[in-house]
Amino acid sequence: REPEAGQNVYLTIDLDLQSAAEQSLTKGIENMKSKSTKNSDAVGGGALVAVDVATGQPLAIANYPTFDLQTLFQSEENYKAVSEADNQPLFNRALLGQYSPGSTFKPCTAIAGLTEGVITTGTTIQCTGTFRKYEDTGYAPKCWIASSGVTHGNDNVTEAIRDSCNIFFYTVGDSLPIDTLARYAAAFGLGEHTGIELPESTGQMATEAVKKKLENTNWYVGDSLQAAIGQSYSLFTPLQIAEYCAAVANGGERHSASILKSVRSYSYGDNVYEREDEVLSKVETAQYNWDAVHEGMRLVGKSSLPNYSMTSVAAKTGTAQKGESIANDGIFICYAPFDDPEIAMAIVVQKGGAGANCSVIAQEILEAYFSLKSATDVTDVEGELLQ
């Protein structure tokens, strides 16, 4: 058969931002690797996803380690070397990797608690370093700060997000039925299909049913407390976490992550398809609840990106515990500008130690995004003047 001319497909991916994401992720992780002191702490792979806050459309999807597509199939030896390499370069961590969100989940718990009336924006909870309600049973989980010998004191929800206080969110999680918390997570897109046209994992939100399926054991109050701080059985993809961050930024609307922007005929004369914005779910709550959560994230952004001055940023760090003698995963989410969000992103680094370690990668992507946007704005203005 004679070949037939195909149509021209346009993606939502921004080529320049994609390039910046791949370079920054590679540089950031290799920097972390150089600081690893022993093999058990060796930093592994990672992923970065940046999305448009208003539409949910992915702007960049980067993985580490990666490979050169131009040489991958040049020879059997090339393909074998990549396919058998350490850290699986062919594995699409951004869409298929499943990771505990750690404390990046706390804004979801906050919105659930505020909306369900478990807390208000004025509620304060005292951090004593240890959650003692079930101490008589032998279960008394601690706040991350307890090992330093100090506490967070009395925090409201904004301050608890700023401080990432486990005691505050244990208390909220203790009062929220796990299925209620799971309902909010699903509305934010965590553990749900994103709408992207590529293979993806759906992950899972920790629930009694999930634990029963995985281990055939009972659900305990400790499971609920750990789920409230992003631990337990919760596993999500970096793409889901990025879309969740965008939904938090825009006030609760979760958009489809479709990467298909438009299709034009072979001659470019006809517009065959144009992507329409699609809202997959919405989290409804009072604006003052959003304001409290956003302000907490702004304070995190201020402390985690102290050297970034192009615009204000809202962020949340996460440190996902993997077990004894295993280095923690680092997770970082952010959106900017704070007052009028445009871009949201999620960064996950396996054995990255802490979410704060990923902030330098996020800063480079924000600098690239706003520099590219500024250059585009100038070009558009010059084009109008020429006309």
Side-chain angles (χ1 to χ4, degrees), residues 206-229:
T207 62
E208 186 174 358
V210 165
K211 185 180 181 183
K212 196 75 174 175
K213 180 180 178 181
L214 293 175
E215 298 184 358
N216 196 29
T217 55
N218 294 329
W219 183 266
Y220 298 105
V221 66
D223 296 315
S224 293
L225 301 190
Q226 293 303 316
I229 65 165

Side-chain angles (χ1 to χ4, degrees), residues 52-55 245-255 282 290 294 341:
D52 186 301
V53 169
T55 65
C245 182
V248 170
N250 68 32
E253 284 191 348
R254 177 174 72 101
H255 298 258
K282 187 167 176 61
W290 288 119
H294 291 161

Side-chain angles (χ1 to χ4, degrees), residues 145-166:
I145 202 173
S147 60
S148 65
V150 298
T151 69
H152 291 123
N154 291 306
D155 272 0
N156 60 28
V157 67
T158 297
E159 294 162 338
I161 290 173
R162 176 198 65 193
D163 297 337
S164 203
C165 179
N166 286 353

Side-chain angles (χ1 to χ4, degrees), residues 64-258:
Y64 177 90
T66 188
F67 56 92
D68 186 346
L69 186 59
Q70 293 183 353
T71 61
L72 182 64
F73 298 111
Q74 280 184 350
S75 67
E76 185 177 340
E77 290 75 19
N78 282 7
Y79 179 79
K80 185 177 180 181
V82 174
S83 62
E84 295 179 0
D86 292 340
N87 284 330
Q88 301 174 285
L90 295 178
F91 181 56
N92 190 344
R93 288 169 168 81
L95 274 61
L96 297 173
Q98 301 178 58
Y99 306 95
S100 294
S103 293
T104 62
F105 186 77
K106 287 174 180 174
C108 175
T109 302
I111 288 295
L114 290 164
T115 309
E116 295 298 315
V118 169
I119 54 170
T120 69
T121 56
T123 299
T124 59
I125 295 172
Q126 184 180 15
C127 173
T128 61
T130 304
F131 188 76
R132 302 188 181 280
K133 183 175 178 179
Y134 302 103
E135 196 169 26
D136 291 345
T137 68
Y139 183 69
K142 296 184 179 296
C143 187
W144 65 269
I145 202 173
S147 60
S148 65
V150 298
T151 69
H152 291 123
N154 291 306
D155 272 0
N156 60 28
V157 67
T158 297
E159 294 162 338
I161 290 173
R162 176 198 65 193
D163 297 337
S164 203
C165 179
N166 286 353
I167 303 304
F168 186 98
F169 290 99
Y170 286 149
T171 304
V172 175
D174 186 50
S175 300
L176 273 174
I178 189 59
D179 287 341
T180 299
L181 183 57
R183 176 163 51 84
Y184 281 87
F188 277 120
L190 297 171
E192 301 291 319
H193 284 293
T194 65
I196 198 166
E197 298 87 349
L198 296 169
E200 66 171 336
S201 299
T202 53
Q204 64 196 25
M205 171 63 194
T207 62
E208 186 174 358
V210 165
K211 185 180 181 183
K212 196 75 174 175
K213 180 180 178 181
L214 293 175
E215 298 184 358
N216 196 29
T217 55
N218 294 329
W219 183 266
Y220 298 105
V221 66
D223 296 315
S224 293
L225 301 190
Q226 293 303 316
I229 65 165
Q231 296 285 162
S232 188
Y233 300 88
S234 293
L235 296 171
F236 310 127
T237 68
L239 175 60
Q240 289 174 340
I241 298 172
E243 295 292 353
Y244 150 65
C245 182
V248 170
N250 68 32
E253 284 191 348
R254 177 174 72 101
H255 298 258
S256 169
S258 167

Side-chain angles (χ1 to χ4, degrees), residues 3-19:
E4 297 179 8
Q7 296 171 333
N8 297 289
V9 173
Y10 295 80
L11 303 182
T12 66
I13 300 296
D14 182 290
L15 181 60
D16 291 327
L17 191 64
Q18 176 70 24
S19 178

